[in-house]
Amino acid sequence: MLINYGLLPTLCELGSGRTFAEAAARLRLTPSAISHQMRALEAQLGFRLFERVGRRAKLTPEAQRLASVIGEHLSPIDDALEALLDEGKIVRGVVRIGGVLPFSRRWLRPRLVRLMRKHPELELAVSFGPPSVLLPKLQSGALDLALLAEDVESPLLASKSVFVEEFWAVCSPSYLQGASAPTTAKELEQQRYVVYDESRPMHEAWWRGTMGRHAAPPRVVCSIANLDEMLFLVEQGVGVAVLPNYLVAERVSRGKLLRLGARKQVPQNPVRLVWRKSAIETSRFKTVRDALLVPETKPSLAVRG
């Protein structure tokens, strides 16, 4: 089959949901040129690529599938060409970043501001989610970089630690109502707890690390899989919670929260920046990756809000 492969990028642009006019603007062509290219491609392929929906031409399901497959292969080719040609040029184009909450939001805030101020032609696409969603996207190429609060074991992925979170048990002064802070295992077992999910992963890790044994079933007043909501409830005096240090360190230093329990073995968990080993190292990719790997000069990651 004799195909003019130069027409395929145009099909991909239209496969992204863009109109003829939008695709023409991106490709620096006229809408009539786009229409002429697609008629030529239809003639070469021998089947229809478009169907009329009202006054608009829309890709047929078969053409949409073809555009998706072509797009998967054109993107790395474009990246490879850019990596070859853009050394020392302006940092431009899209870099897609994913991350777990709430850590990624706090880690990214200052770094995104610096990146966008320094590189006005850089475009960042940021999304948040659990590792079960982020990892497949990273492996498929839907993400370029991901911040994950867990070790990633894959021969296809590279990673570097950017932060080591610690788990702290905290409560508000109002929760104690003037009583002394609990210190012994027996006293801590009698407290009311706000926990992350029914499996209580952080609570169990903290208890083993600080007490040297498994925890007795805690008196759970709320199980909620959201760290920000857990923090809110603790600040309102509802109970005790085990939370990452980056979320509570500033409040502890200001006396807004109290840190409980022994600190001989503080449970730790690495947070890593992860990327595909096969990723084409364009200037935009390297610029963003390097910026996300730079530690803050402040000793704490705690950020208000």
Side-chain angles (χ1 to χ4, degrees):
M1 182 181 294
L2 296 177
I3 299 295
N4 181 352
Y5 289 99
L7 303 178
L8 299 182
T10 303
L11 180 64
C12 289
E13 288 291 334
L14 296 169
S16 300
R18 297 185 176 91
T19 64
F20 277 38
E22 291 168 340
R26 285 178 59 87
L27 296 172
R28 298 182 181 179
L29 298 170
T30 64
S32 61
I34 295 289
S35 180
H36 177 75
Q37 285 188 0
M38 292 300 95
R39 285 199 299 271
L41 185 59
E42 282 183 325
Q44 293 171 19
L45 293 173
F47 67 84
R48 293 178 57 197
L49 295 173
F50 295 89
E51 56 189 0
R52 302 297 301 186
V53 179
R55 300 177 61 185
R56 184 177 176 182
K58 179 183 177 182
L59 286 178
T60 63
E62 295 81 6
Q64 185 65 59
R65 287 195 294 271
L66 176 61
S68 298
V69 172
I70 293 170
E72 291 176 3
H73 295 279
L74 281 181
S75 180
I77 292 172
D78 287 341
D79 286 346
L81 289 171
E82 183 175 350
L84 178 67
L85 300 173
D86 72 352
E87 195 66 35
K89 301 284 185 67
I90 295 174
V91 175
R92 59 162 59 92
V94 180
V95 176
R96 299 153 298 182
I97 307 167
V100 291
L101 288 172
F103 173 85
S104 297
R105 185 174 63 219
R106 287 163 168 77
W107 185 260
L108 289 173
R109 280 178 183 174
R111 292 164 176 81
L112 295 188
V113 171
R114 288 195 292 267
L115 278 166
M116 289 184 286
R117 285 176 175 169
K118 188 174 181 179
H119 306 288
E121 295 193 38
L122 175 66
E123 181 181 344
L124 300 173
V126 183
S127 59
F128 301 109
S132 60
V133 172
L134 297 176
L135 264 176
K137 287 187 175 182
L138 183 66
Q139 292 168 330
S140 69
L143 289 174
D144 300 305
L145 297 157
L147 286 160
L148 302 174
E150 61 180 45
D151 287 324
V152 178
E153 296 183 3
S154 171
L156 303 178
L157 300 175
S159 68
K160 187 172 182 179
S161 176
V162 297
F163 186 77
V164 178
E165 63 179 1
E166 298 179 352
F167 297 145
W168 294 5
V170 294
C171 70
S172 72
S174 64
Y175 167 75
L176 297 175
Q177 297 181 344
S180 299
T183 56
T184 67
K186 184 176 180 181
E187 290 172 338
L188 287 166
E189 284 176 340
Q190 295 171 351
Q191 305 307 309
R192 295 158 52 91
Y193 285 93
V194 178
V195 299
Y196 185 93
D197 194 55
E198 294 178 355
S199 62
R200 309 185 293 273
M202 290 183 293
H203 181 92
E204 294 290 340
W206 169 78
W207 192 276
R208 288 195 305 271
T210 56
M211 300 299 165
R213 60 180 175 83
H214 287 286
R219 182 185 175 190
V220 177
V221 295
C222 185
S223 172
I224 182 168
N226 184 292
L227 299 184
D228 287 317
E229 294 304 315
M230 289 176 65
L231 178 59
F232 172 78
L233 294 175
V234 170
E235 290 180 319
Q236 299 305 307
V238 170
V240 177
V242 177
L243 290 164
N245 59 326
Y246 64 79
L247 200 59
V248 298
E250 183 183 20
R251 290 169 172 84
V252 170
S253 67
R254 289 159 46 199
K256 300 295 184 181
L257 293 176
L258 302 176
R259 186 176 175 188
L260 307 178
R263 304 173 193 175
K264 294 181 180 179
Q265 283 188 300
V266 180
Q268 298 181 335
N269 188 47
V271 181
R272 298 181 177 277
L273 182 67
V274 187
W275 61 93
R276 296 184 310 283
K277 290 180 179 179
S278 61
I280 304 299
E281 299 216 351
T282 61
S283 59
R284 65 174 180 269
F285 174 83
K286 290 187 291 186
T287 296
V288 175
R289 182 186 59 189
D290 293 348
L292 299 189
L293 289 174
V294 174
E296 289 294 278
T297 55
K298 297 180 181 179
S300 171
L301 182 65
V303 177
R304 296 183 185 182

